[in-house]
Amino acid sequence: MSIYNKANPAELLAGNTYPGRGIIVGKNGGNAVIAYFIMGRSENSRNRIFVEKDNAVFTHPFDASKVQDPSLIIYAPIRQYENNLIVTNGDQTDTVYEGLAAGKSFADALAAREFEPDAPNFTPRISAMLTFADGGFSYQMSILKSADEIGSACNRYTFSYTPIDGLGHFLHTYNCDGNPIPTFTGEPERVAMEGDIDTFTKSLWDSLNEQNKISLYVRYTDLATGKVENRLINKYN
Protein backbone atom coordinates (compact mmCIF):
# COMPACT_ATOMS: atom_id res chain seq x y z
CA MET A 1 0.00 0.00 0.00
CA SER A 2 1.33 3.44 -0.92
CA ILE A 3 2.05 5.87 1.89
CA TYR A 4 0.14 8.41 -0.23
CA ASN A 5 -3.15 6.53 -0.14
CA LYS A 6 -6.19 8.39 1.21
CA ALA A 7 -8.73 6.68 3.43
CA ASN A 8 -12.43 7.45 3.41
CA PRO A 9 -12.99 9.19 6.78
CA ALA A 10 -16.48 7.75 7.10
CA GLU A 11 -15.09 4.24 6.69
CA LEU A 12 -12.45 4.89 9.36
CA LEU A 13 -15.16 6.02 11.76
CA ALA A 14 -17.62 3.25 10.92
CA GLY A 15 -15.13 0.65 12.08
CA ASN A 16 -14.27 2.39 15.35
CA THR A 17 -16.70 2.53 18.28
CA TYR A 18 -14.69 5.13 20.17
CA PRO A 19 -12.16 7.42 18.46
CA GLY A 20 -13.09 10.01 21.13
CA ARG A 21 -12.83 13.57 19.86
CA GLY A 22 -11.65 14.20 16.30
CA ILE A 23 -10.44 16.98 14.03
CA ILE A 24 -10.34 16.82 10.22
CA VAL A 25 -8.71 19.59 8.19
CA GLY A 26 -8.23 19.67 4.43
CA LYS A 27 -9.15 21.15 1.07
CA ASN A 28 -12.08 20.28 -1.14
CA GLY A 29 -12.25 22.14 -4.43
CA GLY A 30 -12.09 25.83 -3.63
CA ASN A 31 -12.91 25.31 0.04
CA ALA A 32 -10.90 25.05 3.22
CA VAL A 33 -12.66 22.43 5.34
CA ILE A 34 -12.72 21.65 9.04
CA ALA A 35 -14.75 19.10 10.96
CA TYR A 36 -14.79 18.58 14.71
CA PHE A 37 -16.75 15.91 16.59
CA ILE A 38 -17.08 14.79 20.18
CA MET A 39 -18.10 11.48 21.66
CA GLY A 40 -18.62 10.29 25.23
CA ARG A 41 -18.95 7.15 27.31
CA SER A 42 -19.90 8.62 30.70
CA GLU A 43 -23.06 10.55 31.58
CA ASN A 44 -20.93 13.63 32.27
CA SER A 45 -19.27 13.44 28.84
CA ARG A 46 -22.53 12.83 27.00
CA ASN A 47 -24.29 15.76 28.65
CA ARG A 48 -23.16 18.28 26.01
CA ILE A 49 -24.24 20.16 22.93
CA PHE A 50 -22.49 22.52 20.51
CA VAL A 51 -23.61 26.15 20.37
CA GLU A 52 -22.38 28.61 17.74
CA LYS A 53 -21.99 32.28 18.64
CA ASP A 54 -20.00 35.17 17.16
CA ASN A 55 -18.10 32.97 14.67
CA ALA A 56 -17.02 30.64 17.49
CA VAL A 57 -18.31 27.28 18.74
CA PHE A 58 -18.83 26.41 22.40
CA THR A 59 -19.72 23.24 24.27
CA HIS A 60 -22.63 23.75 26.66
CA PRO A 61 -24.24 21.30 29.07
CA PHE A 62 -27.46 19.84 27.72
CA ASP A 63 -28.77 19.48 31.28
CA ALA A 64 -26.92 21.85 33.65
CA SER A 65 -28.23 19.98 36.71
CA LYS A 66 -26.26 16.88 35.71
CA VAL A 67 -22.82 18.51 35.28
CA GLN A 68 -20.31 16.71 37.51
CA ASP A 69 -16.96 18.15 36.39
CA PRO A 70 -17.11 21.02 33.89
CA SER A 71 -13.34 21.46 33.57
CA LEU A 72 -12.81 18.96 30.75
CA ILE A 73 -16.15 19.11 28.95
CA ILE A 74 -17.06 22.82 28.78
CA TYR A 75 -14.83 24.86 26.46
CA ALA A 76 -14.67 26.68 23.12
CA PRO A 77 -13.38 24.20 20.53
CA ILE A 78 -13.40 26.74 17.68
CA ARG A 79 -12.30 30.38 17.75
CA GLN A 80 -10.87 32.78 15.19
CA TYR A 81 -7.96 35.17 15.75
CA GLU A 82 -7.43 37.54 12.84
CA ASN A 83 -6.75 35.27 9.82
CA ASN A 84 -6.28 32.13 11.94
CA LEU A 85 -9.01 29.58 12.63
CA ILE A 86 -8.29 27.51 15.75
CA VAL A 87 -9.84 24.09 16.40
CA THR A 88 -9.04 22.02 19.51
CA ASN A 89 -10.53 19.43 21.84
CA GLY A 90 -10.22 21.53 24.99
CA ASP A 91 -9.60 24.89 26.57
CA GLN A 92 -6.22 25.05 24.81
CA THR A 93 -8.22 26.87 22.12
CA ASP A 94 -7.93 29.87 24.44
CA THR A 95 -4.23 29.15 25.01
CA VAL A 96 -3.53 29.32 21.27
CA TYR A 97 -5.74 32.41 20.86
CA GLU A 98 -3.97 34.24 23.68
CA GLY A 99 -0.57 33.06 22.43
CA LEU A 100 -1.20 34.44 18.95
CA ALA A 101 -2.30 37.74 20.47
CA ALA A 102 1.01 37.82 22.36
CA GLY A 103 3.02 37.18 19.18
CA LYS A 104 3.67 33.47 19.75
CA SER A 105 3.47 30.72 17.16
CA PHE A 106 0.97 27.87 17.26
CA ALA A 107 3.57 25.42 18.62
CA ASP A 108 5.03 27.88 21.11
CA ALA A 109 1.61 28.66 22.53
CA LEU A 110 0.87 24.96 23.03
CA ALA A 111 4.23 24.40 24.74
CA ALA A 112 2.56 25.70 27.90
CA ARG A 113 0.02 22.82 27.89
CA GLU A 114 0.07 19.05 28.16
CA PHE A 115 -2.33 16.08 28.04
CA GLU A 116 -5.50 16.08 30.14
CA PRO A 117 -5.19 15.04 33.83
CA ASP A 118 -7.71 12.21 33.54
CA ALA A 119 -5.64 9.19 34.61
CA PRO A 120 -5.45 6.41 33.57
CA ASN A 121 -6.47 7.59 30.08
CA PHE A 122 -4.36 10.78 29.97
CA THR A 123 -6.43 11.99 27.03
CA PRO A 124 -4.25 13.78 24.45
CA ARG A 125 -4.90 17.39 23.63
CA ILE A 126 -5.36 17.65 19.87
CA SER A 127 -5.33 20.99 18.06
CA ALA A 128 -5.31 22.47 14.58
CA MET A 129 -4.95 25.94 13.10
CA LEU A 130 -5.72 27.18 9.60
CA THR A 131 -3.98 30.36 8.48
CA PHE A 132 -5.63 32.17 5.58
CA ALA A 133 -3.66 34.47 3.24
CA ASP A 134 -3.64 35.55 -0.42
CA GLY A 135 -6.67 33.49 -1.39
CA GLY A 136 -5.25 30.29 0.08
CA PHE A 137 -4.37 28.77 3.42
CA SER A 138 -1.95 26.53 5.27
CA TYR A 139 -2.61 24.42 8.32
CA GLN A 140 -0.91 22.89 11.32
CA MET A 141 -1.97 20.09 13.65
CA SER A 142 -0.71 19.17 17.10
CA ILE A 143 -1.03 16.37 19.62
CA LEU A 144 0.17 16.55 23.22
CA LYS A 145 0.27 13.08 24.77
CA SER A 146 1.60 11.23 27.77
CA ALA A 147 5.05 9.72 27.37
CA ASP A 148 4.13 6.69 29.49
CA GLU A 149 1.34 4.95 31.37
CA ILE A 150 1.79 7.03 34.53
CA GLY A 151 1.82 10.47 32.96
CA SER A 152 5.37 11.32 33.99
CA ALA A 153 6.11 13.50 30.94
CA CYS A 154 4.44 15.05 27.90
CA ASN A 155 5.46 14.42 24.30
CA ARG A 156 4.56 17.19 21.85
CA TYR A 157 4.16 16.67 18.09
CA THR A 158 3.40 19.39 15.52
CA PHE A 159 2.63 18.76 11.84
CA SER A 160 2.59 21.46 9.15
CA TYR A 161 0.76 21.06 5.83
CA THR A 162 0.41 22.71 2.46
CA PRO A 163 -3.16 22.00 1.29
CA ILE A 164 -3.68 19.61 -1.62
CA ASP A 165 -7.10 19.49 -3.22
CA GLY A 166 -9.02 16.38 -2.22
CA LEU A 167 -6.72 15.62 0.72
CA GLY A 168 -7.26 16.10 4.44
CA HIS A 169 -5.70 15.01 7.70
CA PHE A 170 -7.57 13.38 10.56
CA LEU A 171 -6.42 13.46 14.18
CA HIS A 172 -8.40 11.89 17.01
CA THR A 173 -7.75 11.36 20.69
CA TYR A 174 -7.94 7.55 20.85
CA ASN A 175 -7.05 4.68 18.56
CA CYS A 176 -10.17 2.79 19.64
CA ASP A 177 -12.23 1.87 22.70
CA GLY A 178 -10.57 0.20 25.69
CA ASN A 179 -9.87 0.46 29.40
CA PRO A 180 -7.74 2.47 29.71
CA ILE A 181 -8.48 3.94 26.30
CA PRO A 182 -5.47 3.60 23.95
CA THR A 183 -4.05 6.96 22.89
CA PHE A 184 -3.87 7.92 19.20
CA THR A 185 -0.55 6.89 17.67
CA GLY A 186 1.34 7.94 14.54
CA GLU A 187 0.85 10.87 12.18
CA PRO A 188 -2.57 12.34 11.42
CA GLU A 189 -4.36 10.00 9.01
CA ARG A 190 -4.55 10.96 5.33
CA VAL A 191 -8.20 11.14 4.29
CA ALA A 192 -10.14 11.95 1.14
CA MET A 193 -12.06 15.23 1.10
CA GLU A 194 -15.07 14.69 -1.12
CA GLY A 195 -18.62 15.96 -1.58
CA ASP A 196 -20.43 19.16 -0.76
CA ILE A 197 -20.88 20.24 2.84
CA ASP A 198 -24.16 18.38 3.33
CA THR A 199 -22.84 15.13 1.87
CA PHE A 200 -19.63 15.35 3.90
CA THR A 201 -21.45 16.20 7.14
CA LYS A 202 -23.98 13.39 6.75
CA SER A 203 -21.30 10.82 5.94
CA LEU A 204 -19.38 11.69 9.11
CA TRP A 205 -22.40 11.84 11.41
CA ASP A 206 -23.91 8.60 10.12
CA SER A 207 -20.58 6.83 10.61
CA LEU A 208 -20.02 7.84 14.23
CA ASN A 209 -21.04 5.18 16.75
CA GLU A 210 -24.71 5.75 17.57
CA GLN A 211 -24.35 5.14 21.30
CA ASN A 212 -21.28 7.32 21.83
CA LYS A 213 -21.63 10.22 19.38
CA ILE A 214 -22.63 13.61 20.78
CA SER A 215 -22.01 16.53 18.41
CA LEU A 216 -20.45 17.41 15.05
CA TYR A 217 -19.50 20.74 13.50
CA VAL A 218 -18.39 21.20 9.88
CA ARG A 219 -17.25 24.45 8.24
CA TYR A 220 -16.47 25.13 4.57
CA THR A 221 -14.68 28.41 3.78
CA ASP A 222 -14.74 29.51 0.14
CA LEU A 223 -11.16 30.59 -0.58
CA ALA A 224 -12.15 32.91 -3.42
CA THR A 225 -14.86 34.85 -1.60
CA GLY A 226 -14.26 34.14 2.09
CA LYS A 227 -17.86 33.00 2.44
CA VAL A 228 -18.37 30.61 5.35
CA GLU A 229 -20.91 27.78 5.32
CA ASN A 230 -21.37 25.52 8.30
CA ARG A 231 -23.39 22.63 9.65
CA LEU A 232 -23.94 21.77 13.33
CA ILE A 233 -25.54 18.56 14.60
CA ASN A 234 -26.31 17.73 18.24
CA LYS A 235 -27.57 14.32 19.27
CA TYR A 236 -29.35 15.89 22.25
CA ASN A 237 -31.40 18.89 21.28
Side-chain angles (χ1 to χ4, degrees):
M1 179 182 294
S2 169
I3 61 171
Y4 299 112
N5 281 359
K6 295 180 289 186
N8 183 317
E11 291 178 1
L12 291 177
L13 289 170
N16 191 342
T17 58
Y18 201 64
R21 286 165 275 175
I23 299 171
I24 299 175
V25 183
K27 184 180 180 185
N28 184 354
N31 297 291
V33 179
I34 65 164
Y36 178 62
F37 66 80
I38 57 174
M39 306 179 78
R41 300 192 305 176
S42 68
E43 183 178 13
N44 190 51
S45 291
R46 290 175 176 173
N47 183 34
R48 289 179 288 174
I49 58 173
F50 282 169
V51 176
E52 188 174 27
K53 181 182 178 181
D54 299 331
N55 206 36
V57 176
F58 301 86
T59 60
H60 281 207
F62 174 64
D63 183 345
S65 68
K66 294 182 178 180
V67 175
Q68 300 167 15
D69 178 6
S71 64
L72 295 178
I73 68 166
I74 308 301
Y75 57 94
I78 299 171
R79 294 185 67 185
Q80 186 149 355
Y81 179 79
E82 295 182 343
N83 63 325
N84 301 288
L85 183 62
I86 308 159
V87 188
T88 89
N89 74 322
D91 63 7
Q92 73 268 25
T93 308
D94 297 337
T95 303
V96 174
Y97 185 99
E98 292 161 5
L100 295 176
K104 295 181 180 180
S105 68
F106 175 70
D108 285 345
L110 286 168
R113 304 302 302 271
E114 59 178 30
F115 50 87
E116 295 179 5
D118 60 341
N121 297 317
F122 298 117
T123 299
R125 292 190 185 274
I126 58 173
S127 309
M129 186 174 78
L130 291 71
T131 300
F132 295 89
D134 302 322
F137 74 109
S138 60
Y139 61 100
Q140 302 173 71
M141 304 186 87
S142 163
I143 183 167
L144 313 178
K145 54 194 290 187
S146 179
D148 56 26
E149 70 278 7
I150 61 172
S152 65
C154 180
N155 291 339
R156 296 178 170 84
Y157 304 88
T158 303
F159 306 88
S160 298
Y161 299 103
T162 298
I164 296 175
D165 190 22
L167 173 66
H169 290 89
F170 181 20
L171 187 58
H172 40 100
T173 50
Y174 309 122
N175 277 335
C176 56
D177 206 345
N179 191 21
I181 318 173
T183 293
F184 181 89
T185 52
E187 294 184 17
E189 296 165 320
R190 291 168 56 91
V191 294
M193 307 297 288
E194 299 173 340
D196 61 23
I197 187 170
D198 289 314
T199 301
F200 185 62
T201 301
K202 186 178 188 304
S203 70
L204 294 180
W205 183 250
D206 289 349
S207 300
L208 289 167
N209 179 265
E210 182 62 32
Q211 182 177 0
N212 296 323
K213 67 184 179 183
I214 299 171
S215 297
L216 168 67
Y217 180 84
V218 175
R219 179 183 293 194
Y220 275 41
T221 302
D222 188 305
L223 295 170
T225 66
K227 179 183 176 182
V228 170
E229 195 174 5
N230 54 56
R231 299 291 184 268
L232 188 157
I233 303 176
N234 290 312
K235 183 175 181 180
Y236 308 110
N237 215 337

